[in-house]
Amino acid sequence: MVTQVRIDDTKGISATFGFMSTITAELPEPVLKSMQDLAGIEGTTVEKLAALAISQAVDAWSSQYQNFSQRAASGNRQKFEAAMNKVPPTPAQADDEVES
């Protein structure tokens, strides 16, 4: 079963971002139960806990994407090809073949 959770909180994180938006998310019951339990332990609301979790996830994904983009931009195709040309042309091991 999936439960809808409305995130509609104008306190806490709003000071950091300057505004808040409302979203509706569908969560499996066990996830909602865990969030309710954690919110109770932390003395906060499920809405604030969800907002924090979403903010942290977005920040992590953004950082990972930026890091990957920077590394990709610094790559050199000619150096890659030169390195690959040094690898001897051997057939793949039996357990490492790609089915076509």
Side-chain angles (χ1 to χ4, degrees):
M1 173 177 258
V2 174
T3 302
Q4 289 190 352
V5 177
R6 286 181 60 87
I7 300 171
D8 186 13
D9 189 4
T10 57
K11 298 179 182 132
I13 296 176
S14 62
T16 304
F17 297 109
F19 65 92
M20 294 293 282
S21 297
T22 300
I23 65 169
T24 300
E26 294 185 355
L27 300 172
E29 285 289 336
V31 173
L32 178 60
K33 176 70 172 120
S34 293
M35 289 178 69
Q36 290 168 331
D37 292 346
L38 286 170
I41 291 168
E42 292 296 320
T44 190
T45 64
V46 171
E47 292 80 9
K48 286 183 182 180
L49 186 64
L52 178 61
I54 292 168
S55 295
Q56 288 177 339
V58 168
D59 185 51
W61 288 328
S62 294
S63 296
Q64 197 171 29
Y65 174 76
Q66 289 172 356
N67 183 307
F68 183 76
S69 296
Q70 289 170 350
R71 291 185 66 193
S74 69
N76 182 308
R77 184 69 181 191
Q78 291 174 332
K79 287 182 180 180
F80 169 75
E81 294 291 342
M84 292 304 293
N85 287 333
K86 292 179 182 180
V87 178
T90 57
Q93 295 179 359
D95 61 344
D96 197 27
E97 292 180 350
V98 177
E99 294 181 25
S100 48

